[in-house]
Amino acid sequence: MTTPLRDYIYLDWERVRVLAAQAAPGEQPGGLSVLSGAFADDRRFYKHEGETRSLHASVFAGLEAALGERVADIGTGYDFSLWSPQLFQDGQFIRTTGLVRLLDYPWLASVMETMPRMLKVTQRAELSALKQRREAHQITQQELDDKVKEHQRQLKDLEGWKMEELTEVVRELFGQAVRLKVVPTGSQRGEMFVGTCLPGGFLESPAVISQKYGCDIDTAGAGNSGWKVVGMMNVGTADNTPVMPTGNAVEDMFERLALAVNRIHRVASAPQFPALSLTPLAIYRELA
């Protein structure tokens, strides 16, 4: 039987390392064995300068195989009438295929800040071409003037967005993380997994991934590209977390403020049902 080849876009190696150290049967050393160096060459327990992405991918493939039926497959053939927050347990492993969207908000925010300059450059090039067409009597002066007015309206509309303020809010809400959204194959009512990826877990830079795929790395939405997302469910608590007063007036005041900020942050960035929160472990596809 031919071993399937995998093309990885993302892998949370440190989390995979921790899980793999616990999942491999018959290979779990005790603390003293680790400290004594008996497993000094085991990459699950020690970092090495020569670690490669191929090593990380191999360890993850072994981990996924070891998890076996503990990983729930969500996609083709799944009964989405059962979809509910109570269906999943916190920390449950899932594997899903479908429309996979990656939104690197920090990078996109940087691009958005340059949009006025990009638009001006694009407009300048377009006007130069239009002037040549006017001189060749392919368009009239009135058509050229109308295009100039259209360009002015575009710039005015863009300035009204106040890009600097908008991008600053985006950075405050999402930090340096990359947002992941997965609509499983067969989804009917907006069922979706939403997660946050660590920037260092990607094999390529945001610009390269965007040039290859755009925001959607599986535009068919039916898993036709074979992309799979493996992750762990996050089942959070209710937002009405009470204050835990210590009697220290200053500390209790800051705790109330912190809880208020947390509620605002969750309203602005946490997924709402039928979307569910996911911690991504890997995004990959199997190659023929």
Side-chain angles (χ1 to χ4, degrees), residues 46-218:
Y46 294 92
K47 291 185 178 181
H48 292 258
E49 292 182 1
E51 283 186 1
T52 62
R53 296 274 187 173
S54 57
L55 167 70
H56 301 171
S58 177
V59 172
F60 172 75
L63 169 65
E64 190 176 7
L67 291 175
E69 295 182 357
R70 294 174 66 179
V71 182
D73 283 298
I74 311 294
T76 304
Y78 184 79
D79 185 0
F80 284 93
S81 66
L82 302 175
W83 189 270
S84 70
Q86 295 75 30
L87 178 65
F88 301 97
Q89 299 178 355
D90 191 35
Q92 179 182 355
F93 295 99
I94 68 101
R95 177 172 46 237
T96 185
T97 58
L99 191 152
V100 181
R101 176 168 294 173
L102 292 173
L103 294 169
D104 190 326
Y105 285 128
W107 178 71
L108 290 172
S110 300
V111 172
M112 289 169 63
E113 288 175 338
T114 67
M115 283 182 65
R117 296 196 298 273
M118 293 170 59
L119 182 58
K120 288 179 181 179
V121 170
T122 302
Q123 290 178 345
R124 194 177 302 123
E126 185 179 4
L127 285 177
S128 177
L130 289 173
K131 288 178 180 178
Q132 292 178 6
R133 294 183 62 191
R134 181 201 59 189
E135 293 172 357
H137 303 290
Q138 295 176 347
I139 63 172
T140 65
Q141 180 64 41
Q142 182 61 49
E143 289 175 315
L144 179 60
D145 293 340
D146 290 342
K147 180 58 68 173
V148 171
K149 292 179 181 179
E150 180 184 338
H151 285 177
Q152 292 173 344
R153 286 196 299 270
Q154 290 175 343
L155 283 172
K156 185 176 180 180
D157 291 341
L158 195 58
E159 290 170 356
W161 278 94
K162 297 183 178 180
M163 285 297 179
E164 291 185 0
E165 294 181 15
L166 177 61
T167 55
E168 186 63 28
V169 171
V170 169
R171 290 190 178 99
E172 290 295 330
L173 284 174
F174 298 101
Q176 295 301 311
V178 178
R179 200 67 161 168
L180 167 72
K181 298 181 179 181
V182 188
V183 180
T185 303
S187 172
Q188 301 169 350
R189 300 167 298 163
E191 295 91 347
M192 181 191 310
F193 294 109
V194 180
T196 299
C197 298
L198 304 174
F202 287 92
L203 187 65
E204 297 171 307
S205 69
V208 172
I209 292 177
S210 178
Q211 289 166 6
K212 282 185 175 181
Y213 311 106
C215 291
D216 298 336
I217 65 172
D218 189 353

Side-chain angles (χ1 to χ4, degrees), residues 223-281:
N224 292 346
S225 299
W227 293 105
K228 301 177 188 288
V229 176
V230 179
M232 300 167 59
M233 294 300 304
N234 305 317
V235 180
T237 56
D239 292 336
N240 57 346
T241 305
V243 176
M244 299 179 180
T246 63
N248 182 312
V250 175
E251 180 181 355
D252 293 345
M253 177 190 67
F254 275 109
E255 182 177 353
R256 285 193 293 271
L257 289 173
L259 292 176
V261 170
N262 179 66
R263 284 192 290 270
I264 294 172
H265 189 274
R266 287 187 60 81
V267 168
S269 61
Q272 300 295 316
F273 184 80
L276 298 174
S277 179
L278 180 76
T279 296
L281 292 178

